Amino acid sequence: MVIISQDMIKQFQTLMDSIDEPLKNTFENLHQGYPTEALVRFLKARDGNVPKAHKMLVDSLDWRIQNEIDNILLKPIVPVDFYSGIRDSQLIGMSGYTKEGRPVIAVGVGRSTYDKASIHYYVQSHIQINEYRDRIILPAATKKFERHISTCVKVLDMTGLKISQLGQLKLLTVISSIDDLNYPEKTDTYYIVNAPYIFSACWKVVRPLLQERTRKKVQVLSGCGKDELLKIMDYDSLPHFCRREGSGSGSSKHSRSSTSTGNDNCFSLDHGFHQELYNYINQQTEAIESRTIISYKSFHVAFPEPDPDDQKIAQTIESECQKLSHQNGVADTVNEDKEKK
């Protein structure tokens, strides 16, 4: 593990002093009053290599300017029924805080279908949640817990994960690349819960491909992970899918029609987090409607070139899923033959 020294930070700061004014302006939106902490994050992402970290940050700032990321919270996804469809097919939400004050972000990996809109809307929604987290949630947590909080924890629910979801790899690789290149080191720990066999099989071959600092962040918990998660958060902050014992077999659905509805289901548009996010974007938009023309079409963000490591991981997952699919096909054929006999 690379230790970030004060000398590295000073070298980085010197390089940043010479960037153009537009880059400095968007950097302020990125660091939210904590420029040194932001530099440290990019240094960690490039293993303490100052020139590489500087290039990564400048590229990220250019990406923000070219894609108008500073204004993305002024770009509502409308109408509400359409946005609701995105929320029901891209399962992500915030269930509360850890005892140390980090936001708990829940992601329904196994149940997300990404089939209600084009890839551009899902990418827009993902970036909006990232920006709302960094500009609103984390500063509010810093004030509430009276200490600087700049990272979150993520609880990934694998319930319902199937081989057929292989087609989502392109979208997930795009989102992963955007996060890796522009929001590095924003997640403290990834907790995997309700993991079915397909995840366990893929994890065995993917884990060795991850960088050491990433491997150390991932914890695969038993069942729904409730007992382990209660060590770092109160019951009220547990995601709804962690409040029961589950096997990852796909026995429950995390939609508004499930037993966890309203304020319990942090994936739902009716949940407090999504209501606050939705209202914030609409209020910001209404505030400038009288001064400018608002475009409500999808917000097309330039997709970054996939990181070679991310590509290798995606190819490995695809290969492993194909093996599992073939094995299941052979097993099904054998069972059918036995039944005929």
Side-chain angles (χ1 to χ4, degrees), residues 138-168:
L138 290 173
T142 293
K143 183 177 180 180
K144 177 180 179 180
F145 291 91
E146 299 181 334
R147 55 181 290 267
H148 181 219
I149 296 170
S150 61
T151 60
C152 65
V153 301
K154 289 186 177 179
V155 185
L156 311 183
D157 181 25
M158 297 294 167
T159 299
L161 193 66
K162 298 181 180 68
I163 295 175
S164 59
Q165 289 170 294
L166 196 62
Q168 298 174 8

Side-chain angles (χ1 to χ4, degrees), residues 20-53:
D20 295 337
E21 201 63 30
L23 295 181
K24 288 181 180 179
N25 291 337
T26 195
F27 183 49
E28 289 183 6
N29 231 347
L30 183 150
H31 67 62
Q32 290 294 308
Y34 294 91
T36 301
E37 188 275 342
L39 299 184
V40 170
R41 289 195 293 108
F42 280 83
L43 279 168
K44 286 182 177 178
R46 289 298 177 260
D47 296 321
N49 186 307
V50 176
K52 288 184 178 180

Side-chain angles (χ1 to χ4, degrees), residues 78-278:
V78 292
V80 64
D81 288 345
F82 180 66
Y83 182 62
S84 178
I86 291 175
R87 290 279 55 83
D88 286 342
S89 54
Q90 183 184 37
L91 303 183
I92 184 171
M94 177 180 156
S95 61
Y97 298 88
T98 67
K99 294 175 182 178
E100 293 183 341
R102 292 187 178 90
V104 179
I105 305 297
V107 185
V109 178
R111 289 291 183 186
S112 292
T113 56
Y114 301 103
D115 60 352
K116 303 297 184 184
S118 72
I119 184 174
H120 298 286
Y121 283 107
Y122 288 114
V123 170
Q124 176 183 351
S125 173
H126 179 81
I127 295 174
Q128 284 180 331
I129 290 175
N130 278 358
E131 291 292 315
Y132 186 73
R133 173 199 64 196
D134 293 350
R135 299 189 212 176
I136 305 299
I137 297 296
L138 290 173
T142 293
K143 183 177 180 180
K144 177 180 179 180
F145 291 91
E146 299 181 334
R147 55 181 290 267
H148 181 219
I149 296 170
S150 61
T151 60
C152 65
V153 301
K154 289 186 177 179
V155 185
L156 311 183
D157 181 25
M158 297 294 167
T159 299
L161 193 66
K162 298 181 180 68
I163 295 175
S164 59
Q165 289 170 294
L166 196 62
Q168 298 174 8
L169 274 179
K170 178 186 176 183
L171 171 58
L172 296 178
T173 301
V174 167
I175 287 176
S176 177
S177 295
I178 287 173
D179 283 353
D180 290 346
L181 295 174
N182 304 289
Y183 304 93
E185 302 297 317
K186 294 299 293 186
T187 301
D188 186 68
T189 309
Y190 297 88
Y191 296 100
I192 310 295
V193 302
N194 297 323
Y197 172 74
I198 181 176
F199 170 81
S200 302
C202 290
W203 179 239
K204 287 179 182 178
V205 295
V206 168
R207 189 176 185 277
L209 302 178
L210 299 175
Q211 294 184 6
E212 182 183 3
R213 72 173 188 278
T214 303
R215 283 201 303 270
K216 288 182 176 180
K217 289 182 178 183
V218 180
Q219 294 188 30
V220 182
L221 305 184
S222 175
C224 69
K226 181 171 68 174
D227 292 341
E228 287 298 314
L229 291 174
L230 284 175
K231 295 177 182 178
I232 65 163
M233 68 184 74
D234 294 331
Y235 184 84
D236 288 344
S237 289
L238 283 175
H240 57 282
F241 51 80
C242 293
R243 300 183 183 186
R244 51 149 178 87
E245 285 302 327
S247 62
S249 61
S251 58
S252 68
K253 293 187 178 181
H254 301 141
S255 65
R256 275 189 254 178
S257 60
S258 71
T259 54
S260 294
T261 56
N263 289 337
D264 264 351
N265 184 355
C266 62
F267 297 149
S268 170
L269 182 55
D270 296 328
H271 186 267
F273 167 75
H274 282 298
Q275 283 294 297
E276 290 170 9
L277 169 61
Y278 182 79

Side-chain angles (χ1 to χ4, degrees), residues 68 71-77 124 128 281 285 294-295 299:
E68 301 180 10
N71 295 325
I72 199 168
L73 294 180
L74 299 174
K75 304 287 184 179
I77 299 175
Q124 176 183 351
Q128 284 180 331
I281 292 176
T285 304
I294 305 294
S295 174
F299 194 75

